Amino acid sequence: MGAESQQKLTPLQTRVAREIVAMVRRENRRAGEHLPEAVLSEQIGTSRSPIQAALRHLLSLGVVQQDANRGFFLAKDARDWDQVAAMYSSQPDDPLYLAIAEERHAGRLPDEVSEAELMRHFKVARSTLRKILARISEEGWIRQRVGHRWTFQSMIDSPEAYEESFLFRQAIEPICFLGSSFRYDPAQLVALRREQQAIVDGGYETMTVIELFESNSRFHEMVAEWSNNRFILHSVRRVNRLRRLVEYKQPAKRSARRRQAQEHIGILDAIAKHDLLLAASLMRAHLDDARQDTVHGEALPPSLP
């Protein structure tokens, strides 16, 4: 029943349902807790209509219950949402977006391609294709040329490219703490620390690959946001988008994710103590450890997909 229900959701409704599942798991919510539609709408950034559709879908899966007068509530603790989380992890993004990324990684798409060729290759309408190409262009791994032709840009498609991305991050992310504009939000810091502690306390064993990556990504982007430097934030987000294309396909190194979460907590504690020099030093060491583990360890195969 769950698979049939999921197929009936629109792409937007599916994304909203995925966001709700991620939020419940991230915050370790308990059965009986309220899921206010207005709050979810603000957090996810969409109208109430797709929120309601997503909640009804989760109701059909048995993890949410509805009170006719008070709205939707959790029917199960977050730790009992593993099956639902796995369902959404099997398709973490728009299918066409993922298909283009996979075909490009596999070398089945040339450096330059026309919209007509892509439409034939993926059997989609031009309007559907253009929406995805606009997103990919914004993320920086394709560029529009004259007419209806497009050129693919550099991606993280080899261990060498991955190492370059880490070296770039080591140059950029520690600087977040050193600018005069750095301001952290105490409430966000507490929430972020709670999320990382949940990973250390056992989440690293039960969370999906996608949940672990998104938690890692959220930490780094939040720190970049606290820098109040638009160029740093843009750079960190762009690298994370490129990492996502690769890391969604990789097996989880769960012990490494636990260690990374512990390092995240150390950085957050340094921020809370207003020791920003220490935070910058810990961030640089954290990224270097991740580089060594990912590029020179066994996290990546000799040739990426």
Side-chain angles (χ1 to χ4, degrees):
M1 177 172 137
E4 293 175 357
S5 178
Q6 188 181 31
Q7 288 175 1
K8 295 177 182 177
L9 295 180
T10 68
L12 173 59
Q13 293 166 349
T14 300
R15 180 182 71 80
V16 170
R18 186 182 303 123
E19 292 278 354
I20 294 173
V21 172
M23 178 272 294
V24 169
R25 301 256 294 172
R26 181 170 67 247
E27 298 179 5
N28 196 25
R29 295 288 193 93
R30 301 290 183 182
E33 289 191 36
H34 192 205
L35 294 171
E37 294 174 21
V39 174
L40 292 173
S41 178
E42 182 178 353
Q43 289 179 336
I44 297 174
T46 187
S47 66
R48 288 200 186 189
S49 178
I51 296 290
Q52 292 167 349
L55 288 171
R56 287 194 295 269
H57 168 63
L58 295 173
L59 176 68
S60 75
L61 297 179
V63 292
V64 165
Q65 58 190 8
Q66 185 178 18
D67 183 291
N69 298 316
R70 296 189 300 151
F72 293 89
F73 295 80
L74 296 186
K76 295 182 178 180
D77 291 343
R79 65 172 179 266
D80 297 322
W81 284 48
D82 289 359
Q83 187 174 357
V84 175
M87 177 194 305
Y88 280 99
S89 295
S90 67
Q91 190 65 281
D93 213 314
D94 186 286
L96 178 57
Y97 172 87
L98 294 174
I100 293 174
E102 187 168 339
E103 290 292 274
R104 178 59 182 166
H105 273 306
R108 290 189 286 268
L109 290 177
D111 292 344
E112 184 173 324
V113 66
S114 70
E115 289 183 9
E117 291 168 336
L118 291 172
M119 289 163 58
R120 286 195 298 271
H121 189 89
F122 296 103
K123 298 180 175 60
V124 295
R126 189 182 296 274
S127 59
T128 302
L129 176 66
R130 282 189 168 176
K131 289 179 183 178
I132 296 300
L133 291 178
R135 173 185 169 183
I136 296 174
S137 177
E138 183 179 345
E139 293 182 1
W141 50 282
I142 201 169
R143 181 166 60 89
Q144 187 170 16
R145 300 185 65 83
V146 176
H148 300 296
R149 299 196 67 80
W150 296 78
T151 301
F152 284 102
Q153 306 297 294
S154 297
M155 302 173 71
I156 299 177
D157 54 4
S158 68
E160 293 77 18
Y162 222 115
E163 179 149 33
E164 289 174 10
S165 75
F166 270 110
L167 293 173
F168 175 74
R169 293 175 65 197
Q170 282 182 265
I172 294 295
E173 294 193 45
I175 297 175
C176 289
F177 309 98
L178 304 180
S180 60
S181 61
F182 183 85
R183 297 287 186 280
Y184 74 91
D185 183 305
Q188 290 177 335
L189 188 146
V190 169
L192 208 54
R193 194 186 191 287
R194 186 187 306 118
E195 179 180 351
Q196 298 301 311
Q197 189 65 53
I199 294 174
V200 172
D201 292 342
Y204 72 97
E205 293 182 309
T206 59
M207 293 169 67
T208 67
V209 172
I210 291 170
E211 288 176 320
L212 289 168
F213 174 81
E214 293 298 338
S215 177
N216 180 289
S217 176
R218 190 161 32 251
F219 166 81
H220 287 278
E221 290 186 20
M222 183 62 71
V223 170
E225 187 173 321
W226 290 340
S227 74
N228 286 294
N229 184 311
R230 72 196 72 183
F231 299 104
I232 291 176
L233 178 58
H234 173 78
S235 297
V236 171
R237 282 179 173 168
R238 181 179 177 189
V239 171
N240 277 342
R241 287 165 179 165
L242 294 177
R243 288 172 57 215
R244 187 174 285 112
L245 294 173
V246 176
E247 295 203 17
Y248 274 178
K249 298 289 187 179
Q250 303 304 322
K253 294 191 68 179
R254 296 190 177 275
S255 61
R257 289 302 193 191
R258 184 175 191 269
R259 185 177 66 254
Q260 289 166 8
Q262 290 172 320
E263 293 171 357
H264 290 165
I265 291 171
I267 294 169
L268 292 171
D269 287 347
I271 295 172
K273 295 175 182 175
H274 303 284
D275 192 342
L276 300 184
L277 285 176
L278 175 60
S281 176
L282 290 174
M283 178 66 84
R284 182 170 180 81
H286 165 67
L287 291 170
D288 192 56
D289 287 345
R291 179 180 66 85
Q292 294 289 342
D293 185 61
T294 303
V295 180
H296 301 291
E298 299 177 355
L300 294 178
S303 178
L304 296 180

